[in-house]
């Protein structure tokens, strides 16, 4: 009889706890789904790239990128992407997977961890390492070794941290 009462008490406590945690779990799941849905282009997707060695008229033998089919299907499509701002010069910026101290230029990452940005309209003034989410048109480059592999053109800032 004593074990039966303990079992019923444990069952009541379990049901009570489940009723409280269910609403919290639902709230957390909806928040996560909302934030993930914003980025249609991720750094993981951009990192899935291969290179092939080919002759180049100016540089001799060069490794040319081979973009995967999933990214090729996104060519000239509107995308949302988040990353850190890296200034190139007074008027040009790049979007980086990493902050400036660990970006592609410092030798700690590959060229697939950065994308050139061409803003729609006037170019905004942005500080280094500002985290932004951009909306723009995706373009990739597999042939010009003096250009970025990835581009976001007609870019608009959707959100930014200070």
């Amino acid at each position: 009889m004593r074990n039966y009462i303990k079992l019923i008490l444990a069952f009541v406590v379990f049901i009570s706890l489940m009723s409280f945690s269910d609403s919290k779990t639902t709230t957390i799941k909806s928040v996560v789904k909302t934030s993930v849905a914003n980025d249609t282009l991720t750094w993981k997707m951009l990192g899935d790239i291969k290179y092939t060695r080919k002759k180049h008229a100016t540089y001799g033998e060069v490794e040319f990128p081979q973009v995967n089919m999933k990214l090729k299907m996104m060519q000239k499509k509107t995308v949302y992407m988040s990353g850190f701002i890296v200034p190139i010069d007074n008027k040009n910026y790049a979007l980086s997977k990493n902050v400036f101290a660990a970006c592609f230029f410092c030798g700690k990452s590959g060229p697939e961890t950065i994308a050139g940005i061409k803003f729609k309209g006037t170019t905004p003034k942005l500080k280094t390492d500002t985290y932004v989410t951009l909306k723009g048109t995706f373009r990739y480059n597999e042939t010009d070794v003096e250009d970025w592999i990835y581009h976001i053109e007609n870019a608009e800032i959707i959100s930014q941290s200070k």
Side-chain angles (χ1 to χ4, degrees):
M1 182 72 175
R2 198 176 218 185
N3 286 339
Y4 182 71
I5 292 173
K6 287 180 184 177
L7 183 62
I8 290 175
L9 184 59
F11 184 68
V12 169
V13 170
F14 176 75
I15 296 296
S16 298
L17 289 175
M18 290 304 293
S19 66
F20 290 115
S21 66
D22 195 27
S23 64
K24 289 180 184 176
T25 303
T26 305
T27 303
I28 291 170
K29 285 181 182 176
S30 66
V31 170
V32 170
K33 285 181 182 176
T34 302
S35 64
V36 171
N38 285 341
D39 284 357
T40 54
L41 193 59
T42 65
W43 293 109
K44 184 175 181 178
M45 291 167 65
L46 296 183
D48 184 17
I49 190 169
K50 293 183 169 75
Y51 295 91
T52 54
R53 287 187 179 269
K54 295 180 185 175
K55 295 256 182 202
H56 187 274
T58 307
Y59 302 114
E61 196 169 88
V62 176
E63 289 190 351
F64 285 85
Q66 289 186 316
V67 176
N68 65 60
M69 285 306 292
K70 191 171 188 178
L71 290 176
K72 285 184 178 185
M73 290 173 35
M74 296 179 85
Q75 177 84 324
K76 298 183 180 177
K77 300 260 190 315
T78 300
V79 296
Y80 292 83
M81 186 165 186
S82 299
F84 297 94
I85 291 294
V86 175
I88 305 306
D89 56 30
N90 301 14
K91 297 180 181 181
N92 296 299
Y93 296 100
L95 189 67
S96 177
K97 174 183 178 181
N98 304 309
V99 293
F100 183 72
C103 76
F104 169 59
F105 305 112
C106 299
K108 296 181 179 161
S109 302
E112 70 279 355
T113 63
I114 201 156
I117 306 170
K118 294 283 184 210
F119 284 99
K120 186 178 196 176
T122 59
T123 303
K125 294 282 184 198
L126 297 167
K127 292 184 180 179
T128 303
D129 292 340
T130 301
Y131 190 79
V132 297
T133 299
L134 300 177
K135 174 186 175 184
T137 306
F138 176 69
R139 181 174 66 84
Y140 68 88
N141 161 40
E142 293 181 306
T143 57
D144 186 356
V145 295
E146 294 181 355
D147 194 8
W148 306 109
I149 298 172
Y150 303 118
H151 295 266
I152 301 176
E153 299 174 336
N154 297 315
E156 299 174 60
I157 298 173
I158 301 301
S159 69
Q160 93 181 52
S161 65
K162 295 186 178 190

